[in-house]
Amino acid sequence: MADIEVTEDKAAPRNDTDAPLLEIRGVTKAFGSVISLADISTTVRAGQVTCVLGDNGAGKSTFIKLLSGVYRPDQGELLMDGEPVRFGTPREALDAGIATVFQDLAVVPLMSIWRNFFLGSEPTKGRGPLRRFDAEKAKQITRSEMADMGIDIRDVDQPVGTLSGGERQSVAIARAVHFGARLLILDEPTSALGVKQAGVVLKYIVQARDKGLGVIFITHNPHHAYPVGDRFLLLKRGKSLGDFAKSEISLPELTRLMAGGAELEQLAHELEREGDKSGALGRELLEDTKTLG
Amino acid sequence: MTTATATRGDERIAHVGLLRRQLVKPEFGALVGALVIFVFFWTQSSVFVSSAGVANWLDAASIPFGIMAVPVAMLMIGGHFDLSAGVQVATAGLATGIMTTYWGLNVYASLVVSLLLMLAIGFVNGYLVTRTGLPSFIITLGMFLGLQGVNIGATKQVTNKVTVDNLNLVPGYQFLKDVVGSTITIGGGQFPIAILWWVLFTAIGSWVLLKTRFGNWTFATGGDPNASKNVGVPTNRTTIALFMITSAMAWFVGNTLILRSGSLQAQFGVGTELIFIVAAVIGGCLLTGGYGSVIGASVGALIFGMTQQGIVYAGWDSDWFKLFVGVMLLLAVLANQFVRRYAEQSRR
């Protein structure tokens, strides 16, 4: 495994005590002649949520992969606690405390919650040929970690496949928190969920934030992002439309920027003028377009 | 097995009844099936439950089917087949036989060489499957055909016959035969010691699968290799290890067979690989991987053994035996499908 180029010296006092957990500075990534991301900057602080918003093809996936060690930036740099870092592999990012919960969640549906929770990092007891998976410990930790997130599990033995989408997400988040994540990257955790389930996941995001984690919340839904976000990075076709603190932007402005434009708004307003009934239709259309991307 | 589908309550009920907890265990269907078949043949023939009768069907169930069903089930849970498992049994036995009786090698040295050969075969299977990403069905089908040719070709070349024999004349034979091929007489029935080996391997296999990290990785690799990789499970190593375990067990079974009688047919094993898979499936393993039980697979082999011998005791035409196996397989697959749906049911 390649070395992480971190000039880490925990004893030394930090030159800047207010250094953000992760700072992304002018990051650019191109694949051949296609520029996927151009000059993107934002920050994530511990105990805060940075939302990354963008439509399909905005470069959200590339952004996640840069942070989680799958790709390396062509230009620009990542700073963790004020120190520049470079991740060669996802494992290195993980070791540095950046945990990514991808859309597939990396859970095995047919396996129980506790087996999934410790998959790949099973605690063991006994030695030599009798070294075995410490199931009791695993079950107990799973139960308490999930409870810590405010999730009451009916039965840790039940297969993950029997959980709802939101609950599955919570297993993945609780797992990342337990294994020492300092920065949690959530890839569209609410996109496939119904209204209620999405709300549940937003609650988990807040829980993780309150535990002092930095959270990067990738979404295309400003209505999900605005209530939980402290900072908003808007991406469009690989470019940054702006990086705002919550105080600098309102939800309507955010939605307007996201919807990408006047033409959509125009259409909504036209429909709205035609009376109450189709006005509602217009609003719905506007919502739908935003939600569906 | 149909009783397994009987009653299902609301899934949201927090209290899970004993029946329901048993019901979702993969081996449940096989256990019920075994009980039904046992009682059925009991009513058909008193010899079936006599000491000699029990010894007879336990022997039929244990070797090669029962012992091989253990690694084949683990491999299937890990998401793969080994169609060459049957002929590998013969390869292992023939290799030992040729090295000792024709080349004059010490029997222990031959066993070690034969084990290394089998591990190499298992490694090649696993390596090709993980490296190419091709279905294990195709890779091991190639290995199956290849080894079938080698078994007959090499045996004929060395012995000018299609069988390797006279192992019983080799020094050190008797002790080894006692270890794997002796019989214990209980109440007039001669119980081969292979039954004990079968029980032992089933216990070890089940322990490994349910209680170790490797077992967890096996379930995960078969259940969702991509997700497993993302959380750091060495899926390729797990797959290769599972193929090598299968080959190592083929080594044990092949050598037990040749040590028991002193000889082995070169064509042995062809067709048995499907019975191993049948036992695993009857035992609750999903063909798609990620779910199953070693105990279930052993019970599957037991069902096979009981049916095979029971038909004879009941005085029926044993030509119909495979029909029973086929019907049981279909019933088992239907039961499995139900269980899988139940397990994967989302509560969205």
Side-chain angles (χ1 to χ4, degrees):
Chain A
M1 203 172 275
D3 287 334
I4 318 170
E5 295 168 34
V6 196
T7 41
E8 206 176 9
D9 191 358
K10 286 200 173 118
R14 288 208 185 112
N15 45 5
D16 180 5
T17 46
D18 201 29
L21 183 53
L22 183 72
E23 184 175 354
I24 295 119
R25 239 186 233 167
V27 159
T28 297
K29 179 75 190 172
F31 298 95
S33 59
V34 181
I35 298 164
S36 251
L37 280 178
D39 195 19
I40 306 296
S41 301
T42 190
T43 53
V44 196
R45 288 174 186 280
Q48 292 201 352
V49 180
T50 296
C51 300
V52 178
L53 293 119
D55 246 327
N56 295 347
K60 297 194 299 282
S61 312
T62 311
F63 186 73
I64 298 170
K65 285 178 179 163
L66 282 173
L67 301 189
S68 61
V70 179
Y71 300 148
R72 266 172 276 192
D74 298 333
Q75 284 165 40
E77 56 180 355
L78 305 177
L79 293 97
M80 243 186 141
D81 304 316
E83 307 281 357
V85 286
R86 261 181 106 76
F87 304 123
T89 64
R91 190 76 234 178
E92 288 177 19
L94 212 56
D95 290 342
I98 299 182
T100 309
V101 177
F102 286 104
Q103 266 174 305
D104 73 359
L105 301 180
V107 290
V108 182
L110 283 165
M111 291 173 78
S112 63
I113 298 173
W114 64 275
R115 281 183 180 273
N116 263 294
F117 199 93
F118 284 98
L119 190 53
S121 317
E122 294 86 352
T124 54
K125 62 179 177 187
R127 39 181 74 232
L130 286 176
R131 204 159 85 105
R132 57 201 185 274
F133 190 175
D134 192 346
E136 282 317 306
K137 192 172 161 195
K139 284 182 194 177
Q140 180 245 316
I141 293 174
T142 305
R143 208 173 283 121
S144 69
E145 285 287 332
M146 298 286 283
D148 249 27
M149 294 277 302
I151 309 147
D152 181 29
I153 332 182
R154 285 172 287 261
D155 177 10
V156 285
D157 266 319
Q158 78 185 91
V160 163
T162 63
L163 297 176
S164 71
E167 287 172 323
R168 266 185 248 193
Q169 196 83 41
S170 75
V171 173
I173 295 173
R175 178 168 66 182
V177 172
H178 175 72
F179 286 106
R182 299 174 58 210
L183 175 67
L184 196 58
I185 304 175
L186 302 171
D187 183 12
E188 307 241 7
T190 56
S191 65
L193 302 179
V195 179
K196 199 173 166 197
Q197 288 290 329
V200 171
V201 170
L202 293 179
K203 203 183 88 194
Y204 300 146
I205 293 175
V206 172
Q207 293 267 6
R209 179 197 70 191
D210 290 347
K211 289 183 80 137
L213 274 81
V215 179
I216 295 184
F217 173 24
I218 317 278
T219 181
H220 52 226
N221 192 329
H223 297 276
H224 290 166
Y226 199 76
V228 296
D230 296 294
R231 192 157 198 95
F232 305 92
L233 168 67
L234 280 99
L235 297 178
K236 188 179 187 183
R237 292 167 171 251
K239 292 203 178 64
S240 173
L241 289 182
D243 175 29
F244 308 97
K246 196 167 193 168
S247 56
E248 296 165 358
I249 194 165
S250 67
L251 178 59
E253 280 175 287
L254 191 66
T255 11
R256 212 183 64 82
L257 273 170
M258 266 296 294
E263 68 263 42
L264 205 96
E265 217 171 313
Q266 183 66 32
L267 178 61
H269 284 310
E270 269 170 34
L271 285 164
E272 215 163 354
R273 272 201 293 275
E274 283 168 29
D276 270 343
K277 213 168 174 189
S278 48
L281 183 72
R283 280 196 294 280
E284 236 170 77
L285 174 73
L286 189 58
E287 289 299 307
D288 284 356
T289 325
K290 273 178 277 184
T291 319
L292 296 172
Chain B
M1 262 159 281
T2 42
T3 46
T5 63
T7 48
R8 279 211 291 146
D10 187 331
E11 293 153 356
R12 281 175 184 275
I13 292 171
H15 177 74
V16 182
L18 183 70
L19 176 69
R20 266 166 48 77
R21 253 182 293 151
Q22 294 306 312
L23 200 143
V24 294
K25 283 194 176 162
E27 64 267 23
F28 181 79
L31 282 168
V32 172
L35 198 66
V36 169
I37 285 164
F38 177 79
V39 171
F40 176 73
F41 283 114
W42 190 1
T43 62
Q44 297 299 305
S45 152
S46 57
V47 189
F48 186 76
V49 289
S50 72
S51 192
V54 172
N56 205 333
W57 52 256
L58 277 180
D59 182 37
S62 64
I63 203 154
F65 305 116
I67 296 178
M68 282 311 287
V70 171
V72 166
M74 290 173 73
L75 184 65
M76 198 183 281
I77 293 166
H80 293 285
F81 293 111
D82 189 351
L83 292 180
S84 65
V87 291
Q88 281 187 46
V89 169
T91 306
L94 294 169
T96 308
I98 287 173
M99 281 188 282
T100 47
T101 56
Y102 287 87
W103 297 349
L105 207 62
N106 173 286
V107 67
Y108 293 99
S110 305
L111 283 173
V112 171
V113 174
S114 154
L115 176 61
L116 292 177
L117 173 72
M118 298 317 292
L119 289 174
I121 291 171
F123 179 83
V124 169
N125 272 338
Y127 183 78
L128 288 177
V129 165
T130 53
R131 188 76 197 184
T132 61
L134 286 168
S136 51
F137 187 91
I138 292 300
I139 302 279
T140 59
L141 183 61
M143 185 61 86
F144 164 70
L145 294 169
L147 285 181
Q148 205 181 334
V150 169
N151 285 354
I152 295 180
T155 305
K156 262 192 170 169
Q157 188 133 31
V158 176
T159 68
N160 286 321
K161 297 181 283 188
V162 287
T163 156
V164 173
D165 50 14
N166 293 331
L167 192 72
N168 47 334
L169 306 177
V170 167
Y173 169 79
Q174 197 52 46
F175 172 72
L176 287 166
K177 188 191 163 157
D178 288 345
V179 173
V180 296
S182 58
T183 55
I184 301 161
T185 310
I186 304 168
Q190 300 235 312
F191 291 83
I193 202 161
I195 298 166
L196 288 181
W197 284 105
W198 175 32
V199 172
L200 179 72
F201 284 131
T202 305
I204 293 175
S206 193
W207 184 80
V208 166
L209 204 53
L210 297 175
K211 303 283 181 196
T212 68
R213 303 183 73 179
F214 181 77
N216 212 37
W217 295 346
T218 303
F219 277 110
T221 304
D224 190 336
N226 232 345
S228 309
K229 242 178 248 165
N230 283 343
V231 292
V233 174
T235 52
N236 286 354
R237 253 199 298 150
T238 304
T239 304
I240 293 173
L242 286 169
F243 274 106
M244 289 175 76
I245 289 169
T246 307
S247 296
M249 290 301 268
W251 170 80
F252 180 86
V253 170
N255 283 292
T256 298
L257 286 170
I258 197 168
L259 283 165
R260 246 155 62 139
S261 64
S263 67
L264 189 66
Q265 298 286 323
Q267 301 100 318
F268 182 86
V270 177
T272 55
E273 67 283 335
L274 293 179
I275 305 299
F276 306 155
I277 292 172
V278 167
V281 171
I282 289 178
C285 295
L286 285 181
L287 286 160
T288 43
Y291 192 79
S293 143
V294 163
I295 292 173
S298 281
V299 175
L302 185 67
I303 290 177
F304 186 87
M306 283 197 293
T307 313
Q308 192 178 38
Q309 300 306 315
I311 285 177
V312 178
Y313 289 135
W316 301 345
D317 187 348
S318 61
D319 292 344
W320 293 86
F321 167 58
K322 284 283 168 68
L323 174 67
F324 281 84
V325 177
V327 170
M328 278 188 299
L329 179 66
L330 287 178
L331 285 176
V333 173
L334 289 173
N336 281 354
Q337 198 184 18
F338 160 76
V339 169
R340 183 197 165 97
R341 271 206 206 120
Y342 175 77
E344 278 196 334
Q345 215 154 40
S346 171
R347 293 173 178 173
R348 245 171 246 249

